[in-house]
Amino acid sequence: MELTGAQIVIECLKEQGVDTVFGYPGGTILNIYDELYKHQEEIHHVLTSHEQGAAHAADGYARSTGKVGVCLATSGPGATNLVTGIATAHMDSIPIVAITCNVGLPLLGKDSFQEVDIAGVVMPITKHSFIVKDVTKLAKTIRRAFVIAKSGRPGPVLVDITKDVTANKTEFTPYVPKPVKPYTEEIEQKSLEKAAQMIQEAKRPFIFVGGGAVAANAWEEVRELAHKIQSPVTDSLMGKGVFSGTDPYYTGMLGMHGTKASNLGVTKCDLLIAIGSRFSDRVIGNARNFARNARILHIDVDAAEINKNVLVDCSIIGDAKEVLKKLNQMIPETEHREWMETIEELKAKYPLAYHQEGLTGPAIIEELYRQTDGEAIIVTEVGQHQMWAAQYYKYTMPRTFLSSGGLGTMGYGLGAAIGAKMGNPDKVVINVAGDGCFRMNMNEIATATRNNLPLIQVVVNNQVLGMVRQWQTLFYESRYSNTVLRDKVDFVKLAEAMGAVGIRVTKKEDLPGAIQEAIRLNTTVVLDCIIDSDDKVFPMVPAGANIEDAFDEADLAKKQK
């Protein structure tokens, strides 16, 4: 059958099982939006307040569902407004397909109105970027984009289409996509055998889980391995929920704001099993001294990550789930009682702790955990609140903690929460933001209310840029250059102006009731929680220091004396 390019885009999205897209229309993409109008019963379009919100929503949808997220934008500023969201997805290996439209082919390269080479702009921050100038190649390109986005190490793909291609016609043949198989081509038997031997020889093993284990759906295999070899488990920000935060083998997050038990434990271990981790600088600190007493086994789907940041003793390239399936069959059950006793002593000696009096960031997160029974999807912006959310909410399943880890994008969370709610309508979805982050994309509250989304926006409001202020306090002799936000903005009134419910919380004793009310109302709610400007995230490792040098408030007080 003969279809226009715009019709082909819609048919290809339907082929891929896409039922939700996020975007913002404009001149060059009007043909596609006209077709969306005709197919609104099959594909629900969420009109965001800003294209960046659309990219983050596609990201949040993908992280929380495991599907490919899709966003749409017009040419020029519409397309460039997607860039931060695409880069965010790229750094955290999240599968999204961004579809943009450009000026007509005769106008390309002439600095035409709203012309930007968006395929060139995003080349360093995508797995692949395409520009389609021939309608006969459109269907193949879109189908290929979805395969690239979700195969191997996932990531974003951009497809830019000239406007004339969306209007031109060609023959279209329907296609049933083949399932993308896990990447197993490079799993070598000798590497598996060496890894199994290292595990059996280890007296003090430690498992470190990253976002690759989430992408590979490997949580069952990770949990089986940990209990089979009696190993403690730590995770990165991206690996949250792969191993349950309520499991006694869990030691908390690793790295700059990880627990002392994890940081000291990894330093003491004799085998570190890293699964789906890229060894970010925020995790490893001083690379030369990271896990210096251990042999390192690295399991990752991306060969480029092996020996990139940390030299390892053995590596297995391939899908983490498939690798662990094989590895678990090769190793016997092992006991490490003495080692686990050491870990339990570390956990008992160095628990996460905060001031119990007054309303604080950790208190807010712990109350969210209690009121949701640990079953909510928690989304965060970036900063102190992000670290508190990682530290004090116990994640028992993957895809329930969504955060910008690699790029650290302020303004990520609200759009991502909208995407998560669209993909998980039966889940309680909560975005935790600092007041600085909330300001960046708070216009997306209008998107939530327009779509009648029951969404809870928690603003941890300390009237400063908290994490930057923390660094200024500790390392810049309290010179607070442009980090104080005290002004006349009223987030409760702002919420009400956008059609949401606003609730202000100033006392710790009022917090449980406020959260209960936010959940009960089943609408868009903004909780404005006022905390002290100088609350800090502890433990903390100074940038570039050894992870065992983590210090907390008590250590800081001793040092200052």
Side-chain angles (χ1 to χ4, degrees), residues 223 241-248 250 395-397:
R223 296 176 190 198
V242 171
F243 197 76
S244 173
T246 62
D247 193 297
Y250 182 65
Y395 302 92
T396 58
M397 290 298 292

Side-chain angles (χ1 to χ4, degrees), residues 304-368:
E305 292 299 337
I306 306 302
N307 294 322
K308 185 177 83 173
N309 294 331
V310 171
L311 296 178
V312 303
D313 298 274
C314 177
S315 62
I316 306 175
I317 310 300
D319 179 83
K321 186 180 184 74
E322 298 304 313
V323 170
L324 290 176
K325 278 181 182 178
K326 296 177 183 293
L327 204 52
N328 282 335
Q329 293 176 352
M330 297 171 65
I331 56 176
E333 289 193 12
T334 312
E335 287 189 352
H336 296 107
R337 289 184 183 178
E338 187 176 336
W339 173 230
M340 288 307 301
E341 286 173 3
T342 299
I343 295 299
E344 287 303 315
E345 288 171 4
L346 289 173
K347 289 167 66 176
K349 186 176 180 181
Y350 302 113
L352 286 172
Y354 63 92
H355 293 293
Q356 293 297 311
E357 65 278 2
L359 188 62
T360 64
I364 293 167
I365 302 302
E366 287 197 328
E367 193 59 41
L368 287 173

